[in-house]
Amino acid sequence: MTAQGPKLLAIVELGGYPNFTSLYQRLGITANFVNSQRKAQAYLKKQLPDLVVAEYNFQSDFRDRTSNLETLMAVLQRHPQVQVIVFYQPEHAPKLELLRARFPVVAALPFPVTEAVLEQALTQSLARLAY
């Protein structure tokens, strides 16, 4: 965590849920938003956030992975201090669990994601960052 407060990368690919900017601000989090995994990869090459909030999108047609998150999680594996929170469709829970068996996710929140549920996950993650 930086002296300026925690930094968050929000990866909003499909959306369809509330804009949580005011929640991030209220918790003292500086949020940066990208709308694709490619842009997230570019962001991570320049700076490392304390937190990542991303959607889990299961893709049965991917040849070498099952979702949009494998590449991101492989990069973040080198930075275990980064806390990852994932939003997911409840019907994809079994596939998400396979990903979680390989990569650390501190919280997985099923849709519909509410501000209260996200706030609880963020508060717990911020407490972990404080050591």
Side-chain angles (χ1 to χ4, degrees), residues 28-92:
I29 298 169
T30 300
N32 289 287
F33 295 84
V34 295
N35 61 9
S36 72
Q37 288 296 325
R38 268 201 181 99
K39 290 179 182 175
Q41 297 296 326
Y43 177 93
L44 292 172
K45 286 179 182 176
K46 296 176 187 169
Q47 55 187 310
L48 193 64
D50 301 296
L51 304 152
V52 172
V53 174
E55 304 159 3
Y56 173 81
N57 299 314
F58 172 69
Q59 300 286 332
S60 61
D61 57 341
F62 281 161
R63 184 180 47 168
D64 57 347
R65 50 199 168 111
T66 61
S67 77
N68 62 320
L69 293 183
E70 270 92 349
T71 303
L72 173 77
M73 297 304 289
V75 169
L76 291 177
Q77 204 169 24
R78 295 187 299 256
H79 307 284
Q81 73 278 16
V82 177
Q83 306 281 306
V84 179
I85 297 172
V86 175
F87 301 163
Y88 70 97
Q89 293 292 340
E91 63 268 21
H92 295 147

Side-chain angles (χ1 to χ4, degrees), residues 97-114:
E97 287 309 311
L98 295 174
L99 178 88
R100 291 182 81 180
R102 295 178 22 227
F103 301 107
V105 172
V106 298
L109 310 178
F111 287 115
V113 177
T114 65

